[in-house]
Amino acid sequence: HLLSICAAVTLVSYGIYTVLGQAPEYMVYSNFFLIAIVFRYLHLSYTTNTAERPETAVADPMIISCFILWVLSLFVIFY
């Protein structure tokens, strides 16, 4: 259950930062990529044994593509 709690705290804190922080107003749209990454990691950790070997989850194509899209969206938002 600790993994679920940490995931929820991560999503809530990043969401609050993008809404109430000093970030640009379009930062809210980057939440979708973070939600996809966290939920995919939770799915992998509950359905397989990736909690024991996190490097296998990091090599997941969906996590990699969402991370790249998240970084690109931040680049577009800030520049």
Side-chain angles (χ1 to χ4, degrees), residues 12-74:
V12 168
S13 62
Y14 186 75
I16 290 173
Y17 167 72
T18 58
V19 172
L20 300 176
Q22 297 295 323
E25 62 184 54
Y26 295 113
M27 276 283 287
V28 175
Y29 300 114
S30 68
N31 285 332
F32 299 116
F33 299 115
L34 185 69
I35 291 170
I37 291 169
V38 170
F39 282 171
R40 178 64 179 174
Y41 183 78
L42 286 175
H43 172 73
L44 289 175
S45 66
Y46 287 140
T47 58
T48 61
N49 62 349
T50 55
E52 297 173 6
R53 300 190 63 205
E55 61 272 4
T56 58
V58 176
D60 183 59
M62 183 175 170
I63 291 178
I64 293 171
S65 61
C66 284
F67 180 76
I68 291 171
L69 288 172
W70 179 65
V71 169
L72 287 175
S73 71
L74 292 180

